[in-house]
Amino acid sequence: MSAEPEHRDTEEPTFDLLLRAISGERGAVSELTAMFLPRVYGLCVRILRNPALAEEATQETFVRALKALPRLRSPERFTGWILVIASNTARETLRKEPRTHSLESEPAAAQSTTDESDARKVALDHAIGELAAEERALFLLHSVEGVSQEQLAHNTGKSVSSIKSRLHRIRNKVRVAAVGFLNRGEAGWLGGTGEA
Amino acid sequence: MSRIDLETLARVAEGDAAPEEIRAVERAARSDESMRLTLEQLRAVLPSEAAPELPEIVVPETLHAHVLERAESAGIIARADEIPHDLHSDVVERLASEGLVAAEASSRPLRGQWAYRVAAVLLVGAVGVFVGIWLAPPRTERNYVERDVPVVHTRVEERIVEKTVIHRIPDVVVETMVVPEPRELVVERERPVESIVIREVPVEKIVERFVPAPGMEVVDASRLQRWDFERGFWAPIESGEELAAGTILRSRGSRAILTAESGTHVLGGELYVVRDAHRLAPVPPPLSRALTTTTNVGESALAKTQVPQLLELWSTGSRGDRSRAQRALETLWRDLGDGGGIAFLSVTGEGRGEPPRTLRGWREWWERVR
């Protein structure tokens, strides 16, 4: 069984900052928003595959989070909390606009590059886009954003073991799709089977 | 290589495969270069020990401002151009803390005047109270000395405490039930026997008894004879004599008249028998033949030659014929004797015994005496 992947350092907001944001202090709200805007927007874009809808979902995410902030029980888990809100909001947006995904998919995969690292990124982004919305959100929250399996289990109402096995299946699926995307058109080990 | 095999490689890359599966894949990868490269690609594209690398996403510059605007419109934060309601007090406190203004005094001149007035009123009141206490008459002085008192005994006392409890009355559920009309149910049971009473009940038994028919009372029968069964001859009939039922009659001539109380009967040359007080009936031919050969009174008794006819009458006749044949044969038996071995007794009539009672007996007798 693989270990938990290391993620970027999560900077949790200070308790004082959260209190000031709860009191409606504009500066605190602005600071909090600026701190989490890239991650919230990035998550929304990767789930929705549409920048315009992602902007709308990002705004809605912050409004919901700031309204629900007084009810936050564990301020030290603010990051995971707001990312789960962003994921749910993005999926709601996707349900309201189901056609948007097929029309404007793969915002980053359209780029052509010769760099191997960039190619892997594009392939991975393509593979994520191939997932179903729920699987995509689960993968991004855990494997990309680093939300713990326990918190995901708590938010989805499922057991940790169920989340864990499901994440393994999703990760394998992403790997297969990404490698297929990388090797498309090549007569390599895949034999040009057109996996992509 | 199929897609299933690629998924197996993906599981190996994830570290999620079984140990024997991992070993088999590694052995195969050592001999298959393309498989090894694919396995490396699977591991590199999504490393299990680090977060995957994805294309960077640029956040729109205006998005932060838009989020704040949404927060303003949602009432979460105040608008940027609004003056906060506590901004004035915060500014004054800041100035006071910097020593630029006097604390409280500059901002509240009127409050000081009112404070002086209230203080003067309180002072006058306090002086009045003091003077009043000083002028009041002396009172009994009580000195309270505080000391520790040991607990002598502990009294346990029970008290009934009434507590008001509010019971919530449950909602009354009204249920309508249809009750069938009562019906009368009959249950039959055997009544037990309480006692047995034995009572004698008179029962009338009807016993049929034959009474001899009344005889015919003769008024005039001068030309008629009756058969005397006792003596065995035809005897004359006297006036006033009663002819019992069963009496056999014959006329001396070819015709005779019997005048009786019940009426007059004309008799022919054959034998007649008296049936009752009113009727006469002809005698059946066999008996008639036997009886017509007998002698009258004074004549000899029944002829010996009549025995076969009497035996036949005895055997074939009715009950009445048999009794008549029996009487006729008994008469002959007395006249002829028994025919047994003791002649003396037969002559004297003593020790003769009883006449036969059966047809066989009469036939044996006839064999002896004929």
Side-chain angles (χ1 to χ4, degrees), chain B residues 170-177:
Chain B
D171 296 336
V172 178
V173 179
V174 178
E175 186 176 357
T176 305
M177 295 178 63

Side-chain angles (χ1 to χ4, degrees), chain A residues 5-13 35-36 39 76-80 83 141-142 144-148 151:
Chain A
E6 293 180 3
H7 300 87
R8 63 178 117 169
D9 293 335
T10 53
E11 299 172 358
E12 295 290 343
M35 186 184 293
F36 286 92
R39 298 184 67 175
E76 68 276 7
R77 301 174 75 176
F78 176 83
T79 305
L83 289 175
L141 281 172
H142 176 70
V144 178
E145 299 297 341
V147 178
S148 68
Q151 191 166 357

Side-chain angles (χ1 to χ4, degrees), chain A residues 77-132:
Chain A
R77 301 174 75 176
F78 176 83
T79 305
W81 179 71
I82 195 171
L83 289 175
V84 168
I85 293 175
S87 165
N88 293 336
T89 307
R91 287 170 56 198
E92 282 181 21
T93 307
L94 202 57
R95 280 196 292 271
K96 292 176 186 171
E97 309 256 354
R99 292 184 179 180
T100 308
H101 176 225
S102 60
L103 292 175
E104 299 182 43
S105 61
E106 304 179 26
Q111 306 166 9
S112 62
T113 177
T114 56
D115 185 80
E116 187 181 352
S117 175
D118 290 344
R120 277 202 299 267
K121 290 178 184 177
V122 171
L124 192 59
D125 189 67
H126 168 80
I128 292 170
E130 291 291 305
L131 295 172

Side-chain angles (χ1 to χ4, degrees), chain A residues 12-26:
Chain A
E12 295 290 343
T14 61
F15 189 64
D16 178 63
L17 179 62
L18 293 178
L19 281 181
R20 287 193 288 127
I22 289 172
S23 66
E25 186 180 321
R26 186 183 183 86

Side-chain angles (χ1 to χ4, degrees), chain A residues 1-7 24-26 29-30 33-34 37-38 41-42 45-46 55-56 58-60 62-63 66-67 108 117 120-125 128 139-140 143-144 168 171-172 174-176 178-179 182-183 188-190 195, chain B residues 1-3 5-7 9-16 32-36 38 41-60 62-64 66-72 74 76-80:
Chain A
M1 193 66 68
S2 65
E4 288 283 321
E6 293 180 3
H7 300 87
E25 186 180 321
R26 186 183 183 86
V29 170
S30 177
T33 304
L37 190 60
Y41 177 71
V45 164
R46 288 184 176 119
E55 278 193 46
E56 177 64 26
T58 301
Q59 295 174 24
E60 182 65 24
F62 278 104
V63 168
L66 289 169
K67 282 183 177 177
S117 175
R120 277 202 299 267
K121 290 178 184 177
V122 171
L124 192 59
D125 189 67
I128 292 170
F139 175 81
L140 290 169
S143 298
V144 178
H168 275 297
R171 286 171 66 85
N172 289 337
V174 168
R175 272 199 183 89
V176 170
V179 170
L182 282 174
N183 296 334
W189 178 76
L190 292 173
E195 294 292 336
Chain B
M1 193 65 69
S2 65
R3 185 181 179 84
D5 295 328
L6 186 59
E7 289 174 352
L9 287 181
R11 285 205 307 276
V12 172
E14 176 71 10
D16 195 24
D32 189 340
E33 182 63 18
S34 61
M35 181 184 289
R36 187 184 62 77
T38 304
Q41 276 184 327
L42 289 168
R43 283 172 173 156
V45 76
L46 185 59
S48 57
E49 69 278 1
E53 294 182 1
L54 291 169
E56 190 176 351
I57 292 175
V58 181
V59 180
T62 57
L63 183 55
H64 182 256
H66 289 158
V67 170
L68 293 180
E69 286 175 6
R70 282 286 300 274
E72 286 174 358
I76 297 170
I77 57 175
R79 292 186 178 279

